[in-house]
Amino acid sequence: MKISKKILARSILGLLYILLAIVMFLTGRTHTILIDNKGDQNGLYKAVNGMEVSVDKGEPVEFYRGDRDKFTVKSQRHTINIEFFDGTEPVSFKVKVPVAQDYVLLSIPKYLAGIEPYMEEFDIYASNKAAAKEE
C-alpha cells in the first residue's frame, strides 16, 4: 500500500495544527491565584504581620494580617516572592496551578508553617452561595 505525498503532507500538517492548539491552550490559559494572609482560628499557624508578595516578575502587593488579594496569571508554573516588613529573610517558592482550576487559594501562613496543602482550589460560586445563606 502506497501513501501519496499529498496525503502524508496533509496528515503531518493536521498533526502540527493539533499540537500547536494544545501548546496555545496550555500557555495561554489564565488562572487566578488568591493570596491569603489569614491565620488559623485554632492557632495552628499565624498570619504574617506585614509583607510584600509578588507573582513571577509582577508588581509587589502589600499584605497585612487578614488580607487577601488576587493575581491573574497565564500558564501553570509560577514563582511566589515574599519580602517581610520585619527584616526576615525573603522567601521565594514555585507553585504549579492545575490546568482545570480557574481559581486557587494560596495560604502564605500555611506555606511558612509547612502545612499541606497550602494551595487548594477555590470555588467562587460556593463562596457566593454561603454568603447569600448568611444574609
Side-chain angles (χ1 to χ4, degrees):
M1 180 176 206
K2 191 173 185 181
I3 300 176
S4 72
K5 290 181 182 181
K6 189 175 187 180
I7 293 174
L8 182 62
R10 286 183 180 175
S11 298
I12 291 173
L13 189 58
L15 183 63
L16 287 175
Y17 281 141
I18 291 170
L19 290 174
L20 181 63
I22 291 170
V23 168
M24 295 295 286
F25 174 76
L26 292 176
T27 59
R29 173 122 163 72
T30 59
H31 304 276
T32 301
I33 299 176
L34 299 168
I35 302 289
D36 188 50
N37 187 25
K38 296 180 182 175
D40 183 36
Q41 296 173 352
N42 300 324
L44 188 59
Y45 53 90
K46 296 185 183 220
V48 178
N49 285 330
M51 63 182 167
E52 274 189 346
V53 177
S54 64
V55 177
D56 297 327
K57 294 181 181 178
E59 287 291 317
V61 176
E62 289 185 355
F63 285 83
Y64 294 95
R65 288 181 173 267
D67 284 350
R68 180 183 286 173
D69 207 346
K70 69 179 182 174
F71 294 84
T72 303
V73 295
K74 282 190 176 185
S75 76
Q76 292 179 268
R77 299 182 201 292
H78 304 285
T79 303
I80 310 297
N81 303 300
I82 306 169
E83 291 195 29
F84 301 97
F85 294 160
D86 65 1
T88 305
E89 192 70 27
V91 174
S92 182
F93 61 98
K94 297 185 183 300
V95 295
K96 182 179 176 186
V97 179
V99 173
Q101 295 180 0
D102 292 327
Y103 287 83
V104 293
L105 179 67
L106 192 150
S107 173
I108 297 297
K110 272 186 174 181
Y111 174 79
L112 295 174
I115 298 172
E116 293 281 342
Y118 56 85
M119 187 173 74
E120 54 195 42
E121 184 174 14
F122 184 80
D123 185 0
I124 60 169
Y125 303 111
S127 298
N128 289 340
K129 290 177 186 176
K133 285 182 181 179
E134 290 177 6
E135 293 176 355

